[in-house]
Amino acid sequence: MAIENDRPADAPARSSSVTHEEGDYPRYRWVIISQMILQQQLGPLIFSSLGVLLPSMQKELHFGLIELGRLGSARTVGNFVLFVASILLVRFRPIRMFNMFALVLAAALLIVGFAPSYYVALGGLALYSFGVSFGQVPANMVRQQWIAPKEMATVSGVMLALQTVFQMAGLALVPLILEPIGGWRSVFIGNAVILLAIASVWFFTARERITPSYERMRSQDRGLSAAGAVLRRREFYLLGFAVLGGATAFTTNLYLLPKFFVDERHFSLQVAGSITAVIPLGGLLANLVAGVLSDRIGRRKLIIWPSGIALPILWYIMIGDYPPSILVPVAFLTGVFVFLPFPALQTIPLEIPGLSPAERAIGQALQMTISTVGIFFGPIFVTSIAASTGSLRSGLLYLLLLPTLFVWTTIFMPETGRVARQKAAS
């Protein structure tokens, strides 16, 4: 792949690009966005369903509790170098690059699906993490090309809502189909085959939406200068720590709760997976409502900070000694507050004034890199405590206060919604 910042004058026209006026967002945008959403949900499907695959993987590959924590953390290791990588990635055409990372995901899942040992599976999941994290850079640039500003939070909400649907499917359905389809390896291989099919369709149908201002800003973008501008903006640090707090508690619990329910609460794997699957179900409601609500009221911060108050209480109940009849509604409420802030948190970087497309993409990469510190070390930290105390609950207790970062960061975070933009313009 060649860098395409400056196309020679005698080069042939790009068949994958279409030139548009500034305010022209054609209906074809939904062909692009729908495919992007589908790939972004099916790509990380293993991320959420890995928790219910662990018992059979652990039995076949023969690894212990510490290795289990490392396996969970390997899913996110790619985010550690995402900020540095984004400095180069923003210089490529996003449509082609997005497709390339879909192929990386498929290859990684095939490696895990055919892994003869624990360490090969660990390496496959690490490669998988690079495909998921690096793919966010072209995805963010495609969103800036094809989504109108007034629809940005709504589309983010729809994307997150579909993500929760796939999380629920992974947690609730995978335990039921494991035996009929031939075990955990078939889940990885099947996911890879689907991604290959999606990449094939994207190759023939996706195209870029080029406007004069977008092309002008993009031609002025240089990775290092854009990164320097991002590093001077406190908004991305605040957003990173906000995501760190909520996502670390969520992803670690989603990964380890099924095992906790089976080992320490003595629930069946089907019951454990079903209870955990209710968390994304609550998130589905939040994502369908939060983005639209945020766009309607013209505010972002107002739907972020309440989760920082509710989640410590709800997560504490989830690891308490309660029957499924209580855990199911609590899990639903937990999911609502877990996902409530994220349509706004994903939209704010695209609304910060005075930034170019590359700066926004690199800024979101910095945000993800910061949040990954918690998401990566969460499973390792919890399983290390569990190995020394003999209880996963003792490790999960240490995560309870992390979501309060939703409150502390919004105190210093600027408001970027419609109301703030109108005030700035008046």
Side-chain angles (χ1 to χ4, degrees):
M1 180 183 294
I3 296 175
E4 297 186 26
N5 273 60
D6 301 300
R7 183 170 58 89
D10 58 347
R14 294 183 298 268
S15 61
S16 60
S17 302
V18 179
T19 302
H20 294 274
E21 296 301 320
E22 299 297 340
D24 176 22
Y25 290 89
R27 290 183 180 178
Y28 194 78
R29 71 188 188 277
W30 299 118
V31 175
I32 306 295
I33 297 303
S34 61
Q35 289 183 79
M36 186 180 72
I37 289 174
L38 186 61
Q39 193 261 46
Q40 286 200 297
Q41 309 323 311
L42 284 170
L45 179 63
I46 292 297
F47 189 98
S48 56
S49 59
L50 189 58
V52 293
L53 295 172
L54 283 176
S56 53
M57 291 181 69
Q58 197 170 13
K59 183 178 180 180
E60 184 175 340
L61 298 180
H62 308 293
F63 56 88
L65 199 57
I66 298 297
E67 289 78 16
L68 182 145
R70 292 171 183 167
L71 202 66
S73 296
R75 302 172 301 170
T76 56
V77 68
N79 282 350
F80 276 117
V81 293
L82 177 58
F83 175 69
V84 175
S86 67
I87 296 172
L88 176 63
L89 294 177
V90 295
R91 303 183 65 192
F92 293 90
R93 290 290 178 186
I95 291 294
R96 296 180 183 179
M97 186 167 51
F98 188 77
N99 210 38
M100 182 188 74
F101 286 121
L103 298 176
V104 171
L105 282 174
L109 292 173
L110 288 173
I111 290 172
V112 181
F114 291 104
S117 67
Y118 165 79
Y119 287 103
V120 174
L122 185 70
L125 281 175
L127 178 62
Y128 164 86
S129 77
F130 284 96
V132 172
S133 58
F134 284 19
Q136 298 302 311
V137 175
N140 288 331
M141 297 183 76
V142 172
R143 287 172 63 193
Q144 292 179 69
Q145 286 185 357
W146 285 99
I147 302 175
K150 65 180 180 180
E151 299 171 335
M152 196 66 74
T154 300
V155 172
S156 293
V158 171
M159 291 176 68
L160 288 166
L162 288 174
Q163 178 179 318
T164 60
V165 171
F166 284 100
Q167 286 173 341
M168 286 185 292
L171 289 163
L173 298 181
V174 167
L176 300 177
I177 65 172
L178 265 181
E179 187 174 342
I181 67 173
W184 62 272
R185 294 182 184 277
S186 298
V187 176
F188 282 93
I189 296 169
N191 195 177
V193 171
I194 294 171
L195 281 174
L196 288 172
I198 293 173
S200 299
V201 176
W202 178 270
F203 180 81
F204 290 106
T205 61
R207 60 192 64 170
E208 297 192 49
R209 174 185 172 271
I210 303 300
T211 63
S213 66
Y214 182 91
E215 191 74 340
R216 184 170 58 253
M217 285 190 295
R218 191 177 182 279
S219 66
Q220 295 170 352
D221 279 334
R222 295 294 182 267
L224 288 175
S225 61
V230 166
L231 289 171
R232 292 190 292 270
R233 302 298 294 253
R234 67 187 176 103
E235 297 96 323
F236 293 110
Y237 297 97
L238 292 169
L239 288 163
F241 281 110
V243 176
L244 181 151
T248 301
F250 170 63
T251 57
T252 306
N253 275 287
L254 200 71
Y255 178 58
L256 293 174
L257 272 179
K259 185 170 178 60
F260 166 74
F261 288 143
V262 170
D263 291 355
E264 299 184 29
R265 298 302 316 282
H266 307 296
F267 298 158
S268 69
L269 182 61
Q270 287 75 20
V271 171
S274 297
I275 293 172
T276 311
V278 175
I279 299 175
L281 179 62
L284 177 61
L285 174 65
N287 287 325
L288 290 174
V289 173
V292 177
L293 178 63
S294 181
D295 280 340
R296 289 287 178 87
I297 66 176
R299 299 180 185 275
R300 305 302 183 206
K301 294 167 60 172
L302 192 59
I303 66 169
I304 296 175
W305 62 261
S307 292
I309 298 172
L311 284 173
I313 301 169
L314 293 167
W315 283 126
Y316 182 76
I317 297 173
M318 285 298 297
I319 57 175
D321 190 18
Y322 298 101
S325 59
I326 291 178
L327 291 175
V328 167
V330 171
F332 182 85
L333 247 166
T334 302
V336 170
F337 282 101
V338 162
F339 285 90
L340 185 65
F342 281 93
L345 289 171
Q346 288 194 356
T347 303
I348 289 173
L350 304 179
E351 295 178 329
I352 298 172
L355 296 180
S356 71
E359 287 168 346
R360 297 185 193 281
I362 291 175
Q364 287 192 306
L366 175 61
Q367 174 184 335
M368 290 180 65
T369 301
I370 293 170
S371 66
T372 298
V373 174
I375 298 170
F376 178 84
F377 285 107
I380 295 175
F381 180 74
V382 171
T383 53
S384 297
I385 293 175
S388 61
T389 62
S391 169
L392 274 172
R393 184 179 188 274
S394 60
L396 292 170
L397 277 171
Y398 283 91
L399 303 177
L400 293 180
L401 292 180
L402 280 175
T404 60
L405 284 170
F406 283 138
V407 177
W408 306 120
T409 54
T410 51
I411 294 173
F412 305 99
M413 198 181 297
E415 177 61 70
T416 63
R418 172 174 46 81
V419 172
R421 295 197 299 272
Q422 288 174 347
K423 286 183 180 179
S426 62

